[in-house]
Amino acid sequence: MFATETRKSRVGAEILPAHGLAYVPNAAQFMMGAVLDLSTEVKYVKGVGPRIAEWLEQKNIFTVEDLLYYLPFRYEDRLNPRGIGELKAGEMATVIAEVRNSAVFRTKRMPIFEIVCGQGTSTLKCMWFNGAFLRDRFKPGQLVALYGKVEPAWKGRGLQIIQPQFEILDSGQSELESEEINPAEIESLEVGRIVPIYESAANQKLTSRWFRRVVHGALKNIKADIADGMPPSLCQRLDLIDRRRAFELVHFPEAGEAFTELSEQRTPAHRRLIFEELFFLEVGLELKRRRLRQRVGITFELNDKVRAAIKKILPFHPTNAQKRVLGEIAEDMRHPAPMRRLLQGDVGSGKTIVALQAAVIAIENGYQTAFMAPTEILATQHYLSARRILEPAGYRVVLLTGSQEEDRKRSNRRHIAQGNAHLVIGTHALIQEKVDFHKLGLVIVDEQHRFGVMQRFKLMRKGEAEPDTLVMTATPIPRTLALTLYGDLDTSVLDELPPGRTPITTKKVSDEKADDVWDFVHKQVKAGRQAYVVYPVIEGAKDDQPEIEFSAVPATSKGGLKAAMQMHEQLSLKVFPHLRVGLLHGRLDPEEKERTMRRFQQGEIDVLVSTTVIEVGVDVANASVMVVEHAERFGLSQLHQLRGRIGRGAAKSYCILMTGGKVSPEGEERLKTMVKTQDGFEIAERDLELRGPGEFFGTKQAGMPGLRVANILRDRKLLELAKVEAHAIVEHANPDITSQDYERIMLHLRQHWQRRYGLVEVG
Ligand code: ADP
Ligand code: MG
């Protein structure tokens, strides 16, 4: 196990000069050079050790395998570095040159650090704003690699790179270095090749260069036959390269590799690792799906009487999409296996009525329906509209909220337990935890854009048939993605808006123009309309907690945000003294909330100042103006949801996105998207692009596994392929798969996916 290499005797106290941490060697150090396995703890990798291993934990790197999955996010072509003379303004370029001189300039606004570097007689200027701290890092004569956008120089002729990423290539550089690698080898890692660039870690203490060396060392000492769960016949058919080789090549590409393929992570090595990851995800989901199909559910009857009952409750003609989707749901309900259906429909597409029709099928069959909403406000609203629609037909609807008086709660619970209540509406938590149903047949979950889809609803009692489940979401997920990701859900799409909607005009303005905006709101109200004005926080300064977590932008700078309470005061006293201005936020007591909502609904409030509590599902057709302050702080799907509150009636509607203060480039991008399109599908795709899938799906709450190499948007094709192959394997429909192959797959799943995500319960 312990490879004996005399070179290893040089282990001494390694000092980390920049941070003054003494690195005392211990027994682990002497294991360096041992043959590593994928499951070996990372601290045994040459150059790591226990202290750094702790830092690496922040990046979820615990084992050698985790380290190998820490892929470079880009590569630099230092095989054919560019001559300064051939650079063109506007391009991204890597330049290797010698430092000639450096200086710090103090301008009025900030110190600027500048170096001039050269190749022969050509020179290039580089500068870093607020870069005084770099002063001691660059010394004349050093060789540096610089990467950045080439621009014409501000003054005089020539070119410059502003804020380039850089790496000092002289081996004398004092950063965390593994002394165990001989200098000639280091040289070959840094220049004369395509060089991997890693995200630094531990507050820059672990640099890209550090990762490069340590990963290189790990790859050299890893054993030849690492574990591989992929069936050989599949790899052969799909042209997937060897796993160990793939790890080597993604980190240290060979000279011939096409640079664009590398940059886009499309090399055979990337493809192999990405496919593998998606394949096991899909096998896990397929297994789950199969188990669900084997469960016993309820067989609802759909006879003429039921059909008539469904029709009777309709207050309007359903759209064709609504009819089609109801058909899909009804078909599931007639089937004995438990329904698992995801109903996707953009805001305002009319999901609620379809859900209520499904409830009628259950009720007519003698079963109860539970309707779970994400917030109390929304539950209350669903309750009011469900009563309006269902009570005339003789169905009894009950609302359960945490804030109801004990007496009322108790009697509600009794009605539910005895079966007197046909439809029970409440928040997720409430219904899931505390309610005992007489005979529950259908669970409707209004998720809107939050993805709790994979969570299991523990509403069943022992020995009972499993109720059908309908999950509604307003985030249009690309269909193929939905099908693959929500593995255990079938999907229906409401892709048609009810008639009579008018398009919404969306404008982005700075809050310096607030007076004009308020003028406009005033005019709209005078014309008989109502308006929302939304703020990111409830109370200012001392209490700058967003009401609902910002999905896209963490509240980095606290303070300086306009808040609902203060602005309510200002708007009602100063700006709109003659209008009726209401206030709604999550911290009001529930009665107050309900009263305010009802008054707005009935037109007794002209302008409703609110937080994002109204983002989900609130439905007031006469409201035609949505003003969002600090719009730059909201995520795309939040903005889309907010805008979805208007444009519900016949009047022309306006969405005004007001920005306050600095807007980040991504913020600009989001606002631009909002102005450009109203198509929820397009917005979702853009959101997915801007935020990446992990954020988009809210990994933690959704149980959506954090993928390490795959990107479900970029790798959609591979995802589909993985799904097909996984399906064949789980259904035992791939004749090339031996029983050993199958066992290896299951073993890999058990060891990896189950531990990491708790997603897959294998066999
Ligand atoms: P969402 O899908 O966002 O939950 P809702 O179910 O709240 O949408 O419906 C939005 C509005 O459209 C509601 O006021 C609803 O009554 C109305 N609506 C739904 N379907 C139709 C239809 N087929 N014709 C006319 N109005 C409809
Ligand atoms: Mg809704």
Side-chain angles (χ1 to χ4, degrees), residues 352 382 446 448 617:
T352 316
H382 277 315
D446 194 359
Q448 297 295 339

Side-chain angles (χ1 to χ4, degrees), residues 347-348 350-352 378 381-382 446 448 472 474 616-618 645 648:
V347 284
K351 295 183 287 293
T352 316
L378 198 54
Q381 180 177 297
H382 277 315
D446 194 359
Q448 297 295 339
M472 303 196 286
V616 272
V618 169
R645 301 306 112 218
R648 294 179 161 240

Side-chain angles (χ1 to χ4, degrees), residues 50 65 130 146 149 187 207 221-222 241 321 341 377 411 498 573-574 579 584 617 747:
E65 183 173 56
N130 288 317
L146 300 150
K149 188 169 180 195
E187 189 82 348
T207 60
N221 289 321
I222 202 165
I241 67 173
R341 190 163 281 277
I377 290 186
S411 86
L573 296 178
K574 303 220 174 86
L579 303 185
L584 190 68
L747 181 70

Side-chain angles (χ1 to χ4, degrees), residues 371-383 399-403 425-430 446-450 547-548 584-586 590 593 597 611-618:
F371 194 135
M372 318 204 313
T375 64
E376 271 199 18
I377 290 186
L378 198 54
T380 305
Q381 180 177 297
H382 277 315
Y383 170 69
L399 176 68
L400 264 187
T401 63
S403 53
I425 301 180
T427 58
H428 294 187
L430 198 73
D446 194 359
E447 284 288 345
Q448 297 295 339
H449 65 286
R450 262 153 252 282
E547 175 114 29
I548 294 176
L584 190 68
H585 60 72
K593 271 189 243 175
M597 262 329 292
T611 59
T612 49
V613 292
I614 59 136
E615 135 190 26
V616 272
V618 169

Side-chain angles (χ1 to χ4, degrees), residues 102 104 113 131-139 142 168 174:
S102 64
V104 176
F113 177 69
F133 68 97
L134 291 170
R135 191 169 25 199
D136 300 328
R137 309 242 356 226
F138 291 89
K139 300 194 178 60
Q142 274 173 336
I168 294 166
S174 60

